[in-house]
Amino acid sequence: MSQESLIIFDTTLRDGEQSPGASMTLEEKVRIAKMLEKMKVDVIEAGFPVASPGDFKAVKAVADTIKDSTVCGLSRALDKDIEAAGEALKGATAARIHTFIATSPIHMREKLNMQPEQVLDHAVRAIKKARQYVDDVEFSAEDAGRSEPEFLYRIVEAAIDAGARTINIPDTVGYTIPHQFGELMKNLLEKVPNADKAIFSVHCHNDLGLAVGNSLAAFLNGARQIECTINGLGERAGNASLEEIVMAVRTRQDVFPCDTRIDATHIVPTSRLVSRITGFPVQPNKAVVGKNAFAHESGIHQDGVIKSRETYEIMRAQDVGWSDNKMVLGKHSGRNAFKTRLKELGFVFDTDDQLNQAFQRFKNLADRKHEIFDEDLLLIVSQTHENPEENTYELIYSEVCSETGETPNARVTLKIEGQEVTGSASGSGPVDAVYQAIELLVNSQTELKLYSVNNITRGTDSQGEVTVQLQKNGEMVYGHGAHTDIVIASARAYIDALNKLSSMIKRSHPQYDGI
Ligand code: KIV
Ligand code: ZN
């Protein structure tokens, strides 16, 4: 078999953002997009421009910034959606409009209230309209995994005739099984008469944990684009994860005779950045990017790896961006060493101002912590670009008194929209006391759904990384905070979540919103 190219289409900024609580600001989206570009992702789906003014601006900002990847905007098969996508993508070096309509009996009947012929007409009209803005048009038959194959062949043929260059076959509800999904792809390529005029793509959800398996089965049967997300983020159980797809293909070249353009050394830093921005922690045993993915606990395994790495490792940790150089910098390290190490880790600063800000954070941390590990550096960088001036709440000061046999008490000063306010409260522990004091000042009426602390590196001087999940009126957000003092980390995480709630733009979710 000859070596083929597999197109990697990343939808972290669109489907990934549809994970409840994973909303991102415009600036955060641009940062992630730049990392994806650096990683050499072929297509970046930047959002759904018609969904809200915030989504429109974010797609536009990504389109105006990214030069080496195609930037894609999602649209339903509606004129206003396509117009918004066309407008938002105007500044892109390479732009794609991705238009979709549901094709399964249940979606057509219950959601769209349309006959199959009407759905086909809408699809054709939408593709022709999208072609007025860009040459690169992708059509998705939503819920293709549960669609009648005969109808799917017809609509795909019509979509290609109308000008779609990429045909995406989504398993929208994660229902299919690899051998069935592979068969569906094979049949499409055989039975659609003009199939050779388009690239076939897949977009698999992970409801049964089969998203990566289904995507790879589709590749083996002719799909040449896979849609995926960093850390497998996405609606419900998420999408196929980019890191797993890329490394499966690279590691098992005997099975998948193809390659991607991806520079895999950026995978771990990008995974960290996405986790930090969305507040979704990466589970320790997650393939490729989990912190245990290359850890060997049992003596037999450790012994084997020392003798020969390949005994228990099928990939090299460095190839996906894990560093073997664990202890890197300390209090006496200079700006150049700091910048150089970050460059080795895949981070290049856009401006001197960003470098100075990050270096200042590094110095502050080095004052409290003897050894600065790569994990600490990655965290420093992911905090550097945050825009404090856009935040409603800022933590100015906190003081906690916690004594054996006494009720802990906290005093907190916040800046709320420019005004400093101070409050005190007691709680069942120091963290609870701080949260009570913040609530006294903010009265957010949110519900704390999750609180968790993780040490970033080893040792008692490690930074603690706190994640909180807050819920209000059905909206859910995650907040993140890190510090060597876990009470301060906790306060930061809570305030981060409050800021996200306060700046949250209500987004609509296209799949469940009519056509
Ligand atoms: O899951 C899905 O069907 C989608 C489409 C919009 C491609 O996200
Ligand atoms: Zn999806």
Side-chain angles (χ1 to χ4, degrees):
M1 275 188 278
S2 65
Q3 182 84 348
E4 300 253 9
S5 305
L6 173 61
I7 298 168
I8 296 295
F9 175 117
D10 180 279
T11 182
T12 307
L13 300 179
R14 198 277 297 169
D15 212 315
E17 204 205 17
Q18 287 176 213
S19 310
S23 59
M24 305 168 212
T25 64
L26 181 147
E27 203 227 357
E28 290 168 341
K29 286 187 179 179
V30 172
R31 269 163 62 201
I32 293 176
K34 282 188 189 165
M35 284 297 279
L36 295 173
E37 179 186 39
K38 212 182 289 176
M39 199 197 281
K40 296 196 167 50
V41 158
D42 298 288
V43 186
I44 299 172
E45 188 163 53
F48 178 48
V50 84
S52 70
D55 276 50
F56 180 91
K57 282 191 200 144
V59 175
K60 180 167 166 32
V62 172
D64 293 348
T65 309
I66 297 302
K67 300 286 168 255
D68 292 335
S69 307
T70 296
V71 179
C72 174
L74 183 69
S75 72
R76 291 166 296 183
L78 293 176
D79 284 357
K80 63 173 181 176
D81 289 36
I82 294 162
E83 284 156 15
E87 189 58 35
L89 293 168
K90 254 186 186 161
T93 307
R96 173 180 295 188
I97 295 181
H98 175 191
T99 186
F100 74 97
I101 192 162
T103 53
S104 64
I106 182 170
H107 275 229
M108 292 191 287
R109 188 180 64 242
E110 305 293 332
K111 187 180 82 168
L112 302 178
N113 193 18
M114 284 167 92
Q115 293 300 318
E117 290 318 307
Q118 290 174 289
V119 169
L120 194 144
D121 280 356
H122 262 80
V124 166
R125 275 218 320 268
I127 294 162
K128 287 188 173 157
K129 172 132 185 130
R131 282 297 303 258
Q132 291 169 9
Y133 291 90
V134 291
D135 288 338
D136 188 354
V137 172
E138 171 170 332
F139 169 69
S140 279
E142 190 193 7
D143 204 16
R146 292 189 300 171
S147 299
E148 302 282 359
E150 292 302 327
F151 180 57
L152 208 51
Y153 306 150
R154 278 209 302 125
I155 198 166
V156 166
E157 181 183 354
I160 297 172
D161 275 345
R165 285 187 177 174
T166 303
I167 297 295
N168 186 38
I169 305 299
D171 180 19
T172 302
V173 291
Y175 180 72
T176 63
I177 305 292
H179 75 275
Q180 282 177 342
F181 199 57
E183 183 78 10
L184 174 64
M185 184 53 65
K186 181 165 172 277
N187 286 337
L188 277 159
L189 289 168
E190 277 171 15
K191 300 202 169 152
V192 172
N194 51 2
D196 61 324
K197 308 263 176 335
I199 300 223
F200 279 69
S201 163
V202 286
H203 172 112
C204 297
H205 279 270
N206 207 26
D207 300 65
L208 294 174
L210 294 170
V212 169
N214 282 332
S215 305
L216 294 173
F219 167 79
L220 290 176
N221 286 282
R224 287 295 173 267
Q225 172 177 286
I226 293 182
E227 303 196 355
C228 45
T229 56
I230 300 293
N231 300 337
L233 219 59
E235 279 273 359
R236 305 181 310 280
N239 289 77
S241 85
L242 179 147
E243 56 277 11
E244 293 176 22
I245 298 282
V246 169
M247 292 318 291
V249 163
R250 292 256 159 101
T251 309
R252 295 304 308 269
Q253 282 285 289
D254 53 330
V255 181
F256 307 107
C258 71
D259 202 11
T260 67
R261 285 199 320 144
I262 299 294
D263 177 350
T265 58
H266 293 295
I267 284 180
V268 169
T270 309
S271 158
R272 295 288 174 82
L273 180 69
V274 169
S275 167
R276 158 85 202 163
I277 284 177
T278 57
F280 277 41
V282 175
Q283 76 194 57
N285 56 327
K286 167 84 178 64
V288 185
V289 292
K291 79 172 179 204
N292 291 350
F294 292 89
H296 302 281
E297 183 67 24
S298 100
I300 297 175
H301 288 206
Q302 287 174 351
D303 181 54
V305 171
I306 290 165
K307 288 179 176 142
S308 163
R309 187 188 58 78
E310 285 85 359
T311 50
Y312 287 100
E313 279 186 10
I314 58 166
M315 297 170 264
R316 287 179 355 133
Q318 307 92 288
D319 292 349
V320 294
W322 289 103
S323 64
D324 40 4
N325 178 3
K326 284 294 181 191
M327 203 275 289
V328 284
L329 302 174
K331 168 176 173 156
H332 301 294
S333 309
R335 188 184 313 256
N336 202 22
F338 173 74
K339 188 174 148 191
T340 307
R341 183 66 198 142
L342 276 164
K343 195 161 174 227
E344 283 160 14
L345 292 171
F347 275 94
V348 179
F349 292 97
D350 291 336
T351 61
D352 276 354
D353 199 40
Q354 281 176 3
L355 167 63
N356 294 342
Q357 235 194 84
F359 187 63
Q360 190 51 51
R361 277 181 197 266
F362 162 74
K363 282 287 179 192
N364 293 345
L365 181 62
D367 272 343
R368 298 192 305 269
K369 192 171 184 285
H370 196 52
E371 301 170 323
I372 306 290
F373 296 87
D374 289 345
E375 286 83 351
D376 294 311
L377 292 180
L378 291 171
L379 195 69
I380 286 170
V381 179
S382 71
Q383 293 166 335
T384 302
H385 305 252
E386 280 158 15
N387 251 349
E389 63 279 8
E390 282 174 13
N391 289 338
T392 311
Y393 308 104
E394 192 190 337
L395 177 69
I396 303 293
Y397 173 82
S398 86
E399 173 191 298
V400 185
C401 182
S402 167
E403 283 175 58
T404 315
E406 297 295 329
T407 305
N409 200 277
R411 208 160 84 90
V412 171
T413 301
L414 299 183
K415 201 183 255 181
I416 306 182
E417 282 169 345
Q419 283 265 279
E420 280 199 18
V421 282
T422 300
S424 302
S426 52
S428 59
V431 173
D432 189 43
V434 166
Y435 281 18
Q436 300 292 348
I438 294 174
E439 268 308 315
L440 201 73
L441 300 171
V442 165
N443 188 22
S444 70
Q445 291 168 12
T446 54
E447 205 184 328
L448 180 66
K449 302 293 272 187
L450 174 135
Y451 170 84
S452 83
V453 193
N454 270 304
N455 55 330
I456 293 174
T457 53
R458 61 175 187 265
T460 49
D461 71 344
S462 164
Q463 293 198 82
E465 191 175 30
V466 175
T467 303
V468 297
Q469 189 188 39
L470 294 184
Q471 193 169 21
K472 185 174 180 177
N473 301 335
E475 297 289 0
M476 197 158 65
V477 288
Y478 284 85
H480 241 51
H483 200 275
T484 46
D485 177 333
I486 63 157
V487 179
I488 297 178
S490 303
R492 286 185 175 172
Y494 197 78
I495 284 168
D496 185 40
L498 289 175
N499 279 323
K500 283 192 178 152
L501 261 183
S502 99
S503 73
M504 201 140 122
I505 300 158
K506 255 202 134 333
R507 291 169 302 120
S508 63
H509 286 195
Q511 278 109 303
Y512 306 106
D513 245 25
I515 298 176

